[in-house]
């Protein structure tokens, strides 16, 4: 099979010595090595973690989250603005509902960990999420005169589909981060790079689709990623489990999972960084909808950007996001958590001043055109945002106890989602309090200024972050020494999960 041949080639390339005759001398040798380095890296991950695991990460993070998330962001903004014609503060408030499925990630985590369907714990949930997302996207794209409440329900369905697929892959990532801590930054780099590449494609095409098909028609493209997740449900490797007294075992595992989450979150090494990550997200209130309505408004002196240009700027930002991934992977993954998060948060607050400069139109006073300045601002914010986010993801994965990786990682992601939900709700309240509407943007700059001040205020909680290196084991020794109650309830299933996440195809 092709995958088996690829794994064999990976072994050969990874094990190749620097002085191998296959390498060319001089500049050609260095150029070839630079080009082949990403290929060797991906093949190493396939060899160490399993080809199906790597393929699942690329599909879920790259297509389902990266492409669909970026495409949805542009198309949905125009949908609310041009089709439903609602106020920016209202859109900001409605977007809170889209985060509800992510807040429920512990529920999805418990379901995928302890509720197998016909002996499978992963495949059925990929299938369900794919079908749900496909149906929801099709309805919102084809139904005419859709009420706001029905549109919100469809968008929640799309978000739920992505969240369920995400929690399944996250369980495998968390387990591998505990089993192979040295590869934890590499796994997050793979996730981030896949997401950024998918986002690049999504942003680059979104403006074109919105322009030619309209906002509602463009949302029909959102049915493609969940349809691919259905395919993932058929091909991903998973052993079928056979249970006796299944009902009793499920009840025991649910009880054990809940108790394990409560016991683990009580450790200071766990709840302190979790609190910091929540504050970092919640205090950065979102003013996105107000800014979107402002820079797409055609009335002078507003910028009046077109659909194609909005998509193009976001696409350039996706490239910048990949640059942020490379910067983290090459230069920052060996720094202690507290150091990198301190400087990343500081840059995050300072870079927000570019938004303020743009809204106040100071860029024109400096002689910088709107198009050039907004492109610069997008690139800087994406690089800084990615460098800030990746160590937090590594930290979250390293806090998960053995045997309950999926459930506890889902809990941590739920905390993060609550932070983003609070940021959306806080932004909506600020926009409404400052009377920022579809046509009145006089106080938008105050909302942006408040957002930046809160970002810098988060630095006061940096002491909650551990000083440990990103390759260190952070799970308390008591949890490492004893398996979780959920795992004890069914050791055979835990071993099968290990086979799933570490399997290299040998079809």
């Amino acid at each position: 099979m092709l995958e088996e041949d690829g794994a064999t080639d990976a072994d050969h390339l990874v094990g190749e010595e620097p002085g191998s005759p296959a390498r060319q001398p001089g500049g050609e040798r260095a150029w070839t090595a630079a080009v082949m380095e990403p290929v060797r890296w991906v093949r190493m991950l396939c060899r160490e973690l399993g080809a199906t695991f790597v393929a699942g990460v690329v599909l879920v993070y790259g297509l389902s989250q990266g492409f669909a998330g970026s495409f949805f962001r542009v198309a949905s903004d125009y949908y609310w603005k041009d089709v439903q014609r609602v106020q920016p503060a209202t859109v900001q408030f409605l977007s809170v509902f889209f985060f509800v499925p992510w807040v429920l990630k512990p529920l999805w985590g418990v379901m995928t960990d302890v509720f197998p369907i016909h002996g499978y714990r992963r495949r059925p949930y990929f299938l369900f999420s794919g079908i749900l997302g496909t149906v929801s996207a099709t309805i919102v794209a084809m139904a005419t005169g859709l009420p706001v409440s029905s549109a919100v329900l469809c968008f929640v369905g799309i978000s739920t589909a992505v969240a369920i697929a995400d929690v399944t892959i996250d369980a495998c990532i968390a387990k591998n981060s505990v089993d192979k801590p040295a590869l934890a930054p590499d796994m997050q780099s793979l996730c981030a790079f896949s997401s950024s590449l998918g986002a690049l494609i999504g942003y680059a095409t979104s403006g074109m689709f919105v322009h030619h098909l309209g906002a509602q028609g463009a949302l029909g493209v959102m049915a493609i990623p969940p349809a691919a997740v259905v395919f993932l449900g058929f091909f991903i490797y998973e052993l079928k489990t056979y249970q006796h007294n299944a009902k009793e075992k499920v009840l025991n595992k649910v009880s054990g999972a809940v108790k394990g989450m409560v016991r683990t979150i009580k450790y200071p090494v766990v709840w302190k960084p979790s609190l910091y990550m929540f504050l970092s997200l919640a205090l950065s209130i979102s003013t996105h909808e107000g800014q979107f309505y402002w820079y797409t408004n055609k009335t002078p002196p507003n910028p009046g950007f077109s659909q194609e240009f909005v998509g193009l700027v976001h696409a350039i930002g996706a490239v910048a996001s990949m640059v942020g991934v490379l910067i983290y992977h090459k230069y920052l993954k060996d720094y202690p958590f507290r150091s990198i998060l301190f400087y990343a948060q500081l840059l995050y607050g300072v870079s927000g001043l570019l938004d303020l400069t743009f809204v106040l139109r100071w860029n024109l006073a400096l002689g910088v055109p709107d198009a050039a300045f907004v492109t610069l601002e997008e690139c800087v914010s994406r690089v800084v945002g990615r460098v800030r986010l990746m160590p937090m993801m590594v930290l979250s994965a390293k806090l998960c106890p053995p045997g309950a990786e999926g459930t506890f990682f889902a809990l941590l992601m739920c905390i993060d989602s609550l932070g983003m939900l609070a940021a959306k709700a806080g932004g909506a309240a600020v926009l409404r309090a400052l009377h920022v509407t579809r046509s009145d943007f006089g106080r938008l700059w105050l909302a942006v200024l408040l957002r930046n001040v809160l970002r810098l205020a988060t630095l006061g909680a940096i002491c909650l972050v551990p000083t440990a290196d990103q390759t260190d084991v952070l799970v308390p020794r008591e949890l490492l020494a004893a398996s979780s109650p959920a795992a004890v309830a069914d050791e055979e299933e835990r071993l099968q999960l290990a086979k799933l996440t570490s399997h290299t195809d040998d079809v």
Side-chain angles (χ1 to χ4, degrees), residues 120-191:
Y120 294 103
R121 293 186 298 174
R122 307 305 176 199
R123 289 182 174 181
Y125 294 99
F126 278 125
L127 293 172
F128 172 74
S129 66
I131 294 172
L132 175 62
T134 303
V135 172
S136 300
T138 302
I139 292 175
V140 76
M142 298 184 65
T144 57
L146 197 66
V148 171
S149 57
S150 299
V152 170
L153 186 61
C154 289
F155 285 0
V156 170
I158 295 173
S159 182
T160 302
V162 178
I164 293 176
D166 173 77
V167 80
T168 308
I169 287 296
D170 282 349
C172 299
I173 295 172
K175 186 182 190 309
N176 279 340
S177 296
V178 174
D179 292 345
K180 300 182 179 181
L183 290 177
D186 293 273
M187 282 183 274
Q188 293 303 327
S189 296
L190 175 65
C191 295

Side-chain angles (χ1 to χ4, degrees), residues 92-93 96 420-430:
Q92 193 84 44
F93 173 75
V96 169
M420 289 185 282
L421 188 151
K424 286 286 186 179
V430 169

Side-chain angles (χ1 to χ4, degrees), residues 66-365:
F67 173 81
S70 59
F71 195 97
F72 179 79
R73 179 180 179 184
V74 175
S76 64
D77 280 343
Y78 279 104
Y79 177 80
W80 294 117
K81 180 175 181 284
D82 299 335
V83 179
Q84 297 290 353
R85 302 189 64 82
V86 296
Q87 297 292 344
T90 303
V91 179
Q92 193 84 44
F93 173 75
L94 293 177
S95 64
V96 169
F97 293 97
F98 309 154
F99 281 94
V100 171
W102 297 89
V103 174
L104 296 177
K105 281 188 74 172
L107 174 61
W108 315 136
V110 170
M111 291 175 62
T112 57
D113 278 346
V114 304
F115 285 97
I117 300 176
H118 295 295
Y120 294 103
R121 293 186 298 174
R122 307 305 176 199
R123 289 182 174 181
Y125 294 99
F126 278 125
L127 293 172
F128 172 74
S129 66
I131 294 172
L132 175 62
T134 303
V135 172
S136 300
T138 302
I139 292 175
V140 76
M142 298 184 65
T144 57
L146 197 66
V148 171
S149 57
S150 299
V152 170
L153 186 61
C154 289
F155 285 0
V156 170
I158 295 173
S159 182
T160 302
V162 178
I164 293 176
D166 173 77
V167 80
T168 308
I169 287 296
D170 282 349
C172 299
I173 295 172
K175 186 182 190 309
N176 279 340
S177 296
V178 174
D179 292 345
K180 300 182 179 181
L183 290 177
D186 293 273
M187 282 183 274
Q188 293 303 327
S189 296
L190 175 65
C191 295
F193 184 80
S194 300
S195 178
S196 297
L197 181 60
L200 170 61
I201 300 172
Y203 282 131
T205 58
S206 58
M208 176 187 66
F209 276 100
V210 171
H211 178 75
H212 292 287
L213 301 179
Q216 186 173 6
L219 286 172
V221 179
M222 291 295 299
I224 297 176
V229 173
V230 173
F231 176 72
L232 176 63
F234 285 106
F235 87 79
I236 194 168
Y237 177 81
E238 181 177 12
L239 292 175
K240 187 174 183 179
T241 61
Y242 297 92
Q243 297 185 15
H244 301 287
N245 301 322
K247 183 177 180 179
E248 290 78 4
K249 289 185 177 182
V250 165
L251 293 176
N252 289 336
K253 292 181 72 176
V254 171
S255 175
V258 173
K259 292 179 180 178
M261 285 193 297
V262 173
R263 184 177 68 253
T264 303
I265 201 68
K266 289 181 179 180
Y267 285 91
V269 72
V270 177
W271 71 259
K272 285 184 176 181
S274 301
L275 177 59
Y276 172 81
M277 289 186 282
F278 171 81
L279 293 174
S280 177
L281 294 168
L283 291 179
S284 181
I285 60 173
S286 174
T287 58
H288 167 72
E289 299 302 336
Q291 292 174 258
F292 172 78
Y293 275 62
W294 172 73
Y295 63 64
T296 57
N297 190 290
K298 302 294 184 181
T299 304
N302 300 327
F305 294 144
S306 65
Q307 294 99 327
E308 292 92 338
F309 183 76
V310 170
L312 176 62
V313 170
H314 285 313
I316 295 173
V319 175
S321 183
M322 287 190 284
V323 172
V325 174
L326 294 175
I327 291 174
Y328 169 81
H329 181 73
K330 296 291 291 184
Y331 304 109
L332 303 177
K333 65 180 182 180
D334 295 325
Y335 281 82
F337 281 114
R338 184 178 296 181
S339 297
I340 187 173
L341 287 176
F342 174 82
Y343 289 108
Q345 187 67 31
L346 179 62
L347 288 174
Y348 190 54
V350 173
S351 65
L353 295 176
L354 292 175
D355 274 338
L356 184 62
T357 300
F358 187 41
V359 171
L360 289 173
R361 316 299 280 141
W362 290 348
N363 61 295
L364 296 180

